[in-house]
Amino acid sequence: MKIAIIGATGHVGSAVTAEALRRGHEVTAILRLNDPDKGKLDSAVKVVEHDALALAKEDLAGYDAIVDGFASPQSYQHIDVAANLIKALPEDDKTKLIFVIGSSTLEKADGTTLLADNQKQFAGAPWLAATVQQSRKFEMLKWVTNVNWTAVTPNTDFELGEKTGFKLGGDQVLTPTVEDKSLISFGNFAAAILD
């Protein structure tokens, strides 16, 4: 497969890149201009420096899958990048768009989301804006029917680590697995995306 990864030098993006290479896929890293970490990428990865907010149909042509691992301190840009990708691939049911979103979108047994808990518990925390925007991005995606998209989120606890095996879920928080944590490593998350 030909896979493009937006944000291939980030935690998730680098894990997806490594796993895709292990599986023999042709990988293109779409990085912001002058990304200081591009030199850390495997030499087998094709590097394209491009503003994710300005990607057009011709920039995305020929890929079987595009993984949106975009991260930005301007949290509103998460929605902007998703909207731009959808706009660039109208009526395309062949290219798989995979959006990495946060666990704040997951539902608890009572039907509320983790976002509601986070907003109460961590009100005013600087990182909370990104979780709000990722939740809004997911709500927006639910209305999109003209592209082939999937949203993927880790469960509640997400950390560096290798691929060891994982459990797939749906829109609900998975039952805690290790020491009252629902832990998934970046390696397992990348394997789940590629599976």
Side-chain angles (χ1 to χ4, degrees), residues 78-194:
H78 291 281
I79 293 174
D80 293 346
V81 168
N84 187 57
L85 291 172
I86 292 163
K87 178 183 168 192
L89 296 168
E91 307 303 325
D92 183 336
D93 62 351
K94 293 185 175 96
T95 306
K96 183 81 161 179
L97 280 174
I98 301 169
F99 296 96
V100 177
I101 58 174
S103 62
S104 63
T105 61
L106 294 173
E107 297 173 358
K108 300 185 312 178
D110 66 4
T112 62
T113 63
L114 290 179
L115 178 61
D117 287 351
N118 287 341
Q119 287 176 312
K120 289 177 190 170
Q121 187 176 358
F122 303 106
W127 56 266
L128 194 57
T131 63
V132 169
Q133 292 303 322
Q134 295 229 341
S135 183
R136 289 177 180 160
K137 175 168 77 172
F138 184 52
E139 291 304 314
M140 177 196 74
L141 288 169
K142 290 178 185 179
W143 289 92
V144 176
T145 59
N146 65 335
V147 295
N148 184 6
W149 68 270
T150 299
V152 184
T153 178
N155 208 34
T156 55
D157 298 289
F158 198 30
E159 63 182 36
L160 290 173
E162 297 300 314
K163 176 176 69 170
T164 57
F166 55 87
K167 177 181 175 183
L168 292 178
D171 292 337
Q172 291 74 36
V173 177
L174 294 175
T175 306
T177 55
V178 179
E179 298 174 4
D180 291 330
K181 292 182 176 183
S182 294
L183 183 65
I184 186 166
S185 67
F186 288 113
N188 284 332
F189 190 63
I193 287 173
L194 287 161

Side-chain angles (χ1 to χ4, degrees), residues 32-43:
R32 67 184 180 272
L33 302 175
N34 303 312
D35 186 324
D37 294 324
K38 74 178 177 182
K40 296 177 183 177
L41 290 167
D42 188 287
S43 61

Side-chain angles (χ1 to χ4, degrees), residues 5-25:
I5 302 168
I6 300 169
T9 58
H11 288 305
V12 171
S14 60
V16 173
T17 299
E19 183 65 19
L21 289 174
R22 270 194 288 281
R23 294 182 185 207
H25 297 303

